[in-house]
Amino acid sequence: MSVVYERTKGLNQNQSIYCPGCTHGLEHKLVMEVLEELGVLDRTIGITSVGCSGLMFRILNTEVVTSLHGRAPAVATGVKAVQPDAIVYIHQGDGDALSIGMAETISAASRGENITVIFANNNIYGMTGGQMAATTMVGDKATTCPAGRDASLDGNPMRACELISQVEGAKYVERVAVYDVPHIIKAKKAIKKAFQNQIDGHGYSFVEILSTCPTNWHLDPLASMDKVKNEMEAVYPLGVFKDE
Amino acid sequence: MLKEVLISGFGGQGSLLAGQILALAGVMDDKNVTYRPVYGTEKRGGLAFCDVIISDEEIGSPALEETECLVAMDENSFTRFESIVRPGGTVIVNSSLVTSQPTRDDVTYVNVPCNEIAEKVGSDKTVNMVILGAYLGSQDYFLPMDTVEAALREEMGPSKEKIIPMNRHAMDEGAAAVK
Amino acid sequence: MAKKLWKGNKAMAEAAIQAGCRYYFGYPITPQNEVPEYLSARMREVGGVFKQAESELASINMVYGAAAAGGRAMTSSSGLGIALMQEGIAHMCATQTPCVVLNVGRGGPGLGTIMASQQDYFQATRGGGPGDYYCFAYAPWNLQEACDLIQLAFEKADEYRMVSHVLVDATLGAMMESADIKENTANTENKDKKDWAVDAFAGRKDDDHRKIVGFWNDPPEAVAFNRDVLKAKYDIAKEKEVMVDVRNCEDADVVIVAYGTTARIALNAMKIAEENGIKVGMVRPITLWPFPYEAVRENTKNAKGILVAEMALGQLTDDVKIAVGPDANIQHYGEDALGGVMPSPRAIYGMIEKIAKEG
C-alpha cells in the first residue's frame, strides 16, 4: 500500500491547543510541509511570539527560541547573527507584529534581515480573551470596544502588507487567505516563496494570512471562514504587495 | 455556617459559571463569599475549576487546600481532586463522564448522569446547572433554589430570560437525582 | 455604593472611577484584562478618556503626559508589563508627576505563569528604573481593601506628587467577593489644584511664570534636587504614611509577617495553631513602601521566631531582616508556593509548629 498523504515530519504528535475552527493549526501545517519539501527542516529554528501562536512550540519538530511580546524579529536577528544559515520561522499575531512589536517589525524589514515572518491577522487578541487589535475592523466588537470599533475613539485598523511593502529592505510581501482549498493552495505557494527567499539569502519576506478566531468572534467555524471571505477580504485585499 | 465546594470540569462545561452563580446566591442570602476561578491559557478544553466558600464569618484563604465538597464534572477533575476532599465530605460525580472508581471509604460519592439529564432537559449546555442542583440537593438546600435561580437570572441578564426556566428545570432534575 | 459581589479587577476599576480617575491607558495582559475591558466602556460613560495603547511602554508615557497636563491618570498591568514601564516610572518620579499603577501580579520571572505570585515586591519597592526614587506601594489583602486603597493611592499620589503602586495578585484580580465601593472619594484640593502642571490656556508665557514639567539637571542642581526635593519628600512619607495591620502579637510564640492574599491564607494557619494551643500573631504590612520597619521590630521582639510567608523566594524577607537585625530567628515560607501554586495553610502551620517547639 503506498502512502498517499501523511503528517509532515515538521509536526510532532503533541496535541495542539487551538480552538475548533482556528486556522493556526492549518497555518503551522502549511509552513512545516513547506520546510520539509524545501529540505530545510533539520536547520529550522522556530521563534515563538506571545499570543495563541506562541504555543506552536509544543507541536513543531524543531529547535525553538521563545520571545517576549513583539520582539520575535529582534530575537530572530540575534539568532541569525550567530547562525546565518539557520532558517528562522516566525509566527506572529496582531498585537505582536503591529502593536507592541511595530518598531521591531519595521526595523527588521528595514535592516533587510534575512528572515521569514508569517503573520496571522485574525482581527483580535485571542489568548488574552478578545480585546481589540490593531486590525479590528471599524464596527466590529471586541472586549475593549464593546460598542463596536469607532475610528474617532478607537483609531483605524492597520494594514500590515501595505505598510511593510513600503519599507526599503522588505523583499517579498503577500497577503493570502485559507478559507477554501484554492486559497490554501495559493497560501502554501506564498509561504514556500517566502522561505525560499530565506534559503537563497534574498532577504526579508512577510506573508499575512487572513485568519479566524471563532471563540472570540463568537461565530462557529464555518461562519468564521465566511467572515474572512465576505468581510475581511474587502478591508484586507489579497495579493502580492512586493516581490523584488 | 461554612460551606466549601470545589467545582471542576474542562473548559466549556460551565464549571466556573456554576460557581459564580452559587457565590452570587450566597451574597443574596447575606453571607460572606469568595469565588476563586482557576484555568489555563487555552480558551477551550483545559482544566477549569473554582473554589467557592460561603460563610457567616470572615473568610481567610479563598483557595481550598481541602474541601468539604467536590463537584467533578469530568474524569480529569475527579482523579485530580478526589484526594483533597475532607473526611466526611461529599463528591458529586458526573457519572456520564467519570469512569474512575472511588478510592476512599471516608467520603460520600453521589453519582449523577449529568450529560444525560441535560439532554433530557433540552440542552447539553445545562449540564452545569444539573450538577449545581445535585450539589444543593445533597447539601440540604443550604441556599434556597429560588435564591439560586434569582442569581442565575441576574448573572445571565435580561436578554437570556427565555432560557431561565429550562436551566431551573435542569437544577431541579439534578437535585431530584440525588434523593 | 451598596455592598455587591464584584470580580476583583472590575471592582478595582470602578473604585478608580469613583476616585475621580478620568484617564486610563493600558495594554492587554493576563490576568488583569478585565480592568481595561471594564474601563473601555465605563470611562467613556463618565466623560473620561480610555485608550488601548500599543504597549506598556507607550501606556506609561501616555499616563505621564496626562499627569503632566494635570489629569488624574492610571494604568494597569502585570509584572512583565510593568517591567517595560520602569523608565517611565522613574521619569515620573523625577518630574514629580503623580499616577496610580495597578499590578495584578503573576508568576515570574519573565513570561512566567498567568497565576498568582508576589514576586514583584522588589520591582515595586526597589525600582528597576534608573536613579534613586521611591513610589508608594499599597498591598491590599481582600477586595474591600483593594477598592479603598486604590482610592487612597490616588490621593497620596497627588498629595506627594509621587507614583502609587497598588499590588494585588492574580487571585485577587480574578476572584469574586463582596465590596462596598465608596463613591466620589476624590479630594478635589488634591486633584484639581495642580499649579505645577502645564496648562496651555493659563496664559503664562513669560519665563518667570511658565511651567516646565521635567528638565535636565546639571550636577550641582541634580544634588540639590535629589537631596532637598526628592529625599526630603520621601522622608516625610516614611514618617507619616506607613500602614500596617497587627493582630495577636502580644505573647505570641510565633509572629507571621505576610501581605496580600498570603496574609489571608495565613489566617487559616493561625486557626490551626490556635486549635493546637500555639499563640500566633501577624504583622501585615499594608504599605510595602513605606515599609513598617518599626511595627515589625516591636511586635516580633518577644516571639520565639518570625515566619515570613510570601509567594516569592525571599523578597519581603529582606525587609523583615532589615527591620529586626541579624540576630533574629527568621524563617521563610514561599519557595513551594508561587506562580499559581497557592500557599498551604497546613505547610505554614507546620513551620509555625516547628518554630514554636524548637525555636
Side-chain angles (χ1 to χ4, degrees):
Chain A
M1 191 168 57
S2 58
V3 172
V4 175
Y5 181 73
E6 64 183 344
R7 182 198 299 268
T8 164
K9 292 189 179 57
L11 293 179
N12 59 35
Q13 305 264 37
N14 290 335
Q15 191 174 34
S16 84
I17 54 80
Y18 299 113
C19 299
C22 171
T23 52
H24 271 87
L26 172 59
E27 293 167 21
H28 296 317
K29 185 183 82 158
L30 292 177
V31 170
M32 301 320 283
E33 281 180 355
V34 158
L35 293 172
E36 183 178 2
E37 286 160 23
L38 291 175
V40 294
L41 253 190
D42 55 356
R43 53 179 168 116
T44 295
I45 297 184
I47 314 261
T48 62
S49 43
V50 172
C52 290
S53 66
L55 295 171
M56 76 178 189
F57 78 88
R58 287 191 191 155
I59 61 175
L60 301 188
N61 252 347
T62 66
E63 313 274 279
V64 166
V65 180
T66 59
S67 328
L68 292 168
H69 200 19
R71 316 302 174 203
V75 172
T77 298
V79 170
K80 288 287 270 197
V82 176
Q83 299 179 22
D85 293 328
I87 300 300
V88 294
Y89 159 36
I90 296 171
H91 206 115
Q92 291 181 287
D94 303 296
D96 219 78
L98 299 182
S99 290
I100 192 168
M102 178 59 90
E104 282 75 23
T105 294
I106 298 292
S107 297
S110 188
R111 288 193 305 269
E113 296 294 341
N114 188 29
I115 63 179
T116 306
V117 177
I118 308 297
F119 167 52
N121 171 356
N122 64 9
N123 276 204
I124 204 119
Y125 280 25
M127 180 181 260
T128 46
Q131 296 82 26
M132 184 179 79
T135 48
T136 299
M137 298 185 291
V138 170
D140 276 6
K141 293 183 181 167
T143 60
T144 48
C145 55
R149 184 174 199 156
D150 175 339
S152 66
L153 293 175
D154 307 305
N156 300 286
M158 271 191 223
R159 294 185 176 81
C161 286
E162 287 80 344
L163 198 58
I164 292 166
S165 57
Q166 299 299 310
V167 176
E168 198 177 330
K171 290 292 185 217
Y172 171 62
V173 180
E174 182 169 353
R175 181 181 287 126
V176 298
V178 290
Y179 55 74
D180 60 27
V181 171
H183 283 87
I184 292 173
I185 293 173
K186 273 189 109 179
K188 187 168 175 178
K189 278 208 178 80
I191 293 169
K192 196 161 213 169
K193 188 175 169 92
F195 279 102
Q196 188 65 55
N197 276 354
Q198 194 181 155
I199 294 167
D200 296 340
H202 192 54
Y204 182 93
S205 299
F206 182 91
V207 177
E208 174 178 348
I209 306 179
L210 297 185
S211 309
T212 59
C213 183
T215 300
N216 288 300
W217 288 355
H218 305 292
L219 294 175
D220 69 46
L222 289 180
S224 300
M225 289 302 202
D226 285 343
K227 181 182 167 80
V228 175
K229 180 169 164 184
N230 301 326
E231 294 174 37
M232 282 171 70
E233 205 179 315
V235 175
Y236 300 102
L238 306 182
V240 175
F241 289 82
K242 197 172 196 186
D243 188 5
E244 279 178 8
Chain B
M1 176 258 244
L2 170 63
K3 303 298 289 177
E4 304 165 330
V5 60
L6 192 162
I7 307 175
S8 179
F10 59 77
Q13 278 189 306
S15 52
L16 301 186
L17 182 58
Q20 269 177 258
I21 290 165
L22 192 61
L24 186 53
V27 170
M28 286 172 159
D29 212 45
D30 229 5
K31 304 273 179 269
N32 291 329
V33 309
T34 57
Y35 157 88
R36 180 185 85 111
V38 180
Y39 39 79
T41 51
E42 301 95 326
K43 296 252 106 233
R44 287 283 179 274
L47 184 73
F49 71 92
C50 58
D51 298 327
V52 181
I53 303 173
I54 300 174
S55 175
D56 290 318
E57 310 286 312
E58 174 187 40
I59 297 174
S61 173
L64 291 170
E65 186 172 31
E66 289 164 330
T67 180
E68 176 193 29
C69 183
L70 165 66
V71 171
M73 296 180 72
D74 75 324
E75 172 69 11
N76 188 27
S77 300
F78 180 82
T79 54
R80 184 173 166 136
F81 294 118
E82 189 194 11
S83 58
I84 70 162
V85 180
R86 292 186 198 283
T90 311
V91 185
I92 313 288
V93 181
N94 179 10
S95 51
S96 306
L97 296 180
V98 177
T99 50
S100 286
Q101 291 307 302
T103 66
R104 297 174 61 174
D105 53 15
D106 58 348
V107 311
T108 308
Y109 297 85
V110 179
N111 290 304
V112 184
C114 297
N115 290 53
E116 280 95 338
I117 295 176
E119 257 198 72
K120 242 189 351 164
V121 161
S123 164
D124 55 12
K125 289 199 180 121
T126 64
V127 65
N128 60 342
M129 299 311 291
V130 171
I131 210 164
L132 184 60
Y135 166 68
L136 290 163
S138 76
Q139 302 298 305
D140 272 328
Y141 304 99
F142 70 94
L143 288 173
M145 291 290 252
D146 285 348
T147 309
V148 180
E149 183 186 334
L152 169 66
R153 184 170 266 113
E154 182 169 316
E155 186 61 40
M156 297 276 89
S159 66
K160 297 272 172 54
E161 183 59 43
K162 296 194 299 284
I163 60 160
I164 302 297
M166 179 173 67
N167 278 279
R168 171 62 193 260
H169 184 39
M171 277 171 54
D172 290 334
E173 288 296 304
V178 310
K179 281 206 182 47
Chain C
M1 300 181 124
K3 202 165 171 188
K4 166 174 160 195
L5 185 70
W6 282 94
K7 189 172 181 79
N9 284 330
K10 292 186 188 176
M12 292 190 288
E14 180 61 31
I17 295 283
Q18 293 300 331
C21 174
R22 291 295 178 266
Y23 308 96
Y24 175 89
F25 309 98
Y27 188 80
I29 183 170
T30 309
Q32 56 87 63
N33 291 315
E34 290 86 358
V35 177
E37 287 168 359
Y38 182 84
L39 291 175
S40 67
R42 184 76 172 112
M43 188 57 90
R44 290 173 184 172
E45 242 171 58
V46 298
V49 176
F50 165 89
K51 285 193 193 284
Q52 180 175 315
E54 61 270 29
S55 70
E56 293 85 349
L57 176 58
S59 298
I60 193 67
N61 282 284
M62 292 178 187
V63 167
Y64 166 58
R72 189 168 262 201
M74 77 174 282
T75 183
S76 61
S77 189
S78 192
L80 187 59
I82 293 180
L84 291 179
M85 298 183 189
Q86 293 306 318
E87 179 198 44
I89 289 170
H91 188 62
M92 289 189 76
C93 292
T95 57
Q96 300 196 85
T97 40
C99 75
V100 168
V101 177
L102 171 62
N103 180 2
V104 185
R106 64 191 234 181
L111 283 176
T113 74
I114 56 166
M115 299 205 280
S117 252
Q118 290 179 314
Q119 294 176 287
D120 299 329
Y121 183 97
F122 282 157
Q123 186 186 66
T125 60
R126 303 300 193 269
D132 257 305
Y133 64 92
Y134 292 104
C135 304
F136 285 117
Y138 294 98
W141 73 333
N142 61 31
L143 201 46
Q144 181 63 59
E145 196 174 54
C147 295
D148 295 338
L149 286 179
I150 282 199
Q151 295 178 334
L152 183 68
F154 279 106
E155 297 311 320
K156 292 299 170 182
D158 279 356
E159 185 186 330
Y160 283 83
R161 294 180 61 185
M162 283 172 63
V163 172
S164 287
H165 287 285
V166 177
L167 268 74
V168 301
D169 62 61
T171 296
L172 198 151
M175 66 183 275
M176 297 184 80
E177 206 178 5
S178 301
D180 167 14
I181 301 177
K182 295 174 186 60
E183 295 177 52
N184 299 320
T185 61
N187 172 329
T188 47
E189 270 284 300
N190 274 343
K191 181 168 158 299
D192 300 324
K193 201 169 91 53
K194 290 180 176 170
D195 50 9
W196 50 264
V198 296
D199 182 350
F201 305 97
R204 301 179 295 226
K205 298 301 172 210
D206 64 88
D207 206 30
D208 289 329
H209 292 99
R210 69 194 178 108
K211 302 296 171 185
I212 301 176
V213 172
F215 48 84
W216 294 70
N217 286 145
D218 282 321
E221 282 130 2
V223 169
F225 179 67
N226 270 270
R227 182 191 61 211
D228 304 331
V229 175
L230 294 185
K231 182 172 186 296
K233 176 169 74 172
Y234 298 142
D235 286 343
I236 295 173
K238 283 194 238 184
E239 269 279 326
K240 297 171 76 179
E241 305 300 337
V242 172
M243 294 172 71
V244 61
D245 170 20
V246 177
R247 311 187 159 206
N248 297 338
C249 288
E250 289 187 19
D251 341 305
D253 297 312
V254 180
V255 174
I256 297 174
V257 183
Y259 70 93
T261 298
T262 306
R264 287 185 83 153
I265 295 177
L267 285 182
N268 289 39
M270 286 167 77
K271 229 195 210 109
I272 303 173
E274 196 186 352
E275 287 160 14
N276 285 280
I278 301 177
K279 289 206 166 116
V280 182
M282 179 154 71
V283 177
R284 176 173 75 87
I286 299 175
T287 49
L288 304 180
W289 198 94
F291 189 79
Y293 294 108
E294 184 81 27
V296 170
R297 185 172 41 249
E298 279 310 301
N299 289 288
T300 58
K301 63 185 183 204
N302 298 319
K304 290 198 180 118
I306 304 167
L307 178 60
V308 183
E310 55 177 332
M311 293 190 267
L313 296 178
Q315 299 190 25
L316 168 64
T317 309
D318 273 10
D319 271 335
V320 173
K321 287 181 183 168
I322 292 173
V324 303
D327 298 323
N329 175 16
I330 304 177
Q331 307 284 321
H332 171 263
Y333 172 84
E335 282 172 14
D336 298 330
L338 40 82
V341 176
M342 285 281 112
S344 153
R346 294 227 161 269
I348 293 175
Y349 170 70
M351 290 186 78
I352 290 171
E353 192 183 31
K354 199 156 179 287
I355 296 173
K357 298 208 164 121
E358 304 165 19

